[in-house]
């Protein structure tokens, strides 16, 4: 790669790194993993920078590299995961409603398959059109639409399940409290 192309790549990274890190953060829930994902994608893109004829498409190319890298990581970790009957409770340290909602959404996104998650992130967070999403992921627009439909239905179901679980917990506590009160009165 020529010195001019190296400078061009450095300038691209300097100007776009915040937006690209936000994209990476939406693809993986852990902030440190998001930084690793972006760094790996940038290293892979650096070697192919001179092959990107239209630099206006560099963001799309880099997002594709991030998605592919995240998929590779997911496949590698898949064997280490042990399925359980019950999901662990998610704790949110930040008390603000916006951060809590964002944390809940990031947690709920974990239930989606990588392909579904990629479609949701590109369509809703990156606000890409169906056609742009299809081009970025290398699938047809019909596949993007059907995948998005199934992913959103899965997310709705997961949010409803969590809402039911949350609503049921205070009731269970009240019932246990009432039982203890009756036991004390009887004694």
């Amino acid at each position: 790669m020529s010195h001019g192309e190296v400078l061009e790549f450095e300038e691209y990274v300097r100007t776009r790194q915040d937006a690209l890190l936000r994209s990476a953060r939406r693809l993986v829930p852990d902030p440190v993993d998001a930084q690793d994902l972006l760094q790996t994608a940038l290293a892979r893109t650096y070697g192919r920078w001179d092959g990107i004829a239209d630099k206006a498409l560099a963001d799309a190319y880099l997002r594709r590299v991030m998605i592919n890298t995240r998929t590779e990581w997911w496949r590698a970790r898949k064997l280490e995961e042990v399925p359980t009957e019950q999901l662990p409770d998610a704790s949110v340290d930040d008390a603000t409603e916006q951060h809590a909602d964002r944390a809940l959404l990031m947690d709920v996104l974990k239930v989606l398959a990588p392909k579904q998650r990629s479609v949701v992130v590109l369509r809703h967070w990156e606000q890409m059109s169906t056609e742009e999403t299809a081009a970025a992921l290398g699938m047809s627009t019909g596949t993007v639409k059907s995948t998005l439909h199934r992913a959103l239905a899965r997310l709705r179901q997961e949010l409803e399940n969590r809402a039911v679980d949350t609503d049921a917990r205070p009731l269970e506590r009240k019932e246990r409290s009432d039982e203890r009160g009756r036991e004390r009165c009887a004694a």
Side-chain angles (χ1 to χ4, degrees):
M1 191 172 357
S2 72
H3 182 68
E5 288 176 330
V6 170
L7 293 176
E8 182 183 20
F9 182 76
E10 288 175 358
E11 180 63 23
Y12 168 76
V13 171
R14 240 187 321 280
T15 58
R16 298 296 300 148
Q17 72 182 14
D18 290 338
L20 293 169
L21 184 57
R22 282 191 300 273
S23 294
R25 181 66 178 95
R26 291 175 182 131
L27 290 170
V28 292
D30 184 71
V32 175
D33 286 344
Q35 290 174 346
D36 289 345
L37 176 64
L38 177 58
Q39 187 66 32
T40 301
L42 286 171
R44 290 179 178 182
T45 303
Y46 177 78
R48 303 204 181 261
W49 185 252
D50 56 342
I52 301 174
D54 186 0
K55 301 303 187 211
L57 299 176
D59 277 5
Y61 181 86
L62 200 56
R63 281 191 194 104
R64 185 71 226 168
V65 172
M66 283 193 289
I67 289 168
N68 289 344
T69 302
R70 194 268 336 266
T71 302
E72 288 173 15
W73 291 357
W74 180 80
R75 286 179 180 153
R77 293 180 189 178
K78 186 177 176 182
L79 299 176
E80 298 171 10
E81 294 178 3
V82 178
T84 61
E85 287 293 321
Q86 188 173 4
L87 293 174
D89 290 336
S91 63
V92 178
D93 296 333
D94 195 346
T96 63
E97 193 171 316
Q98 183 179 12
H99 289 307
D101 289 345
R102 184 179 302 260
L104 174 63
L105 187 55
M106 293 302 291
D107 194 43
V108 170
L109 279 174
K110 293 176 187 175
V111 302
L112 296 179
K115 180 176 158 183
Q116 290 177 327
R117 185 177 180 146
S118 298
V119 170
V120 169
V121 167
L122 293 179
R123 283 288 289 129
H124 290 286
W125 266 302
E126 298 297 328
Q127 297 179 348
M128 296 173 93
S129 69
T130 302
E131 292 76 20
E132 291 170 330
T133 303
L137 297 175
M139 49 175 81
S140 70
T141 57
T143 303
V144 169
K145 289 177 184 179
S146 64
T147 302
L148 182 63
H149 176 75
R150 281 190 222 94
L152 293 177
R154 178 70 177 105
L155 289 174
R156 278 188 210 100
Q157 183 63 45
E158 184 66 21
L159 287 171
E160 287 174 10
N161 291 346
R162 289 178 185 220
V164 167
D165 289 346
T166 304
D167 292 344
R169 284 189 188 128
L171 183 60
E172 290 171 6
R173 284 189 207 117
K174 183 180 182 318
E175 289 171 354
R176 278 185 265 150
S177 172
D178 289 347
E179 288 174 11
R180 286 186 198 127
R182 279 187 237 124
E183 289 172 3
R184 287 188 193 130
C185 290

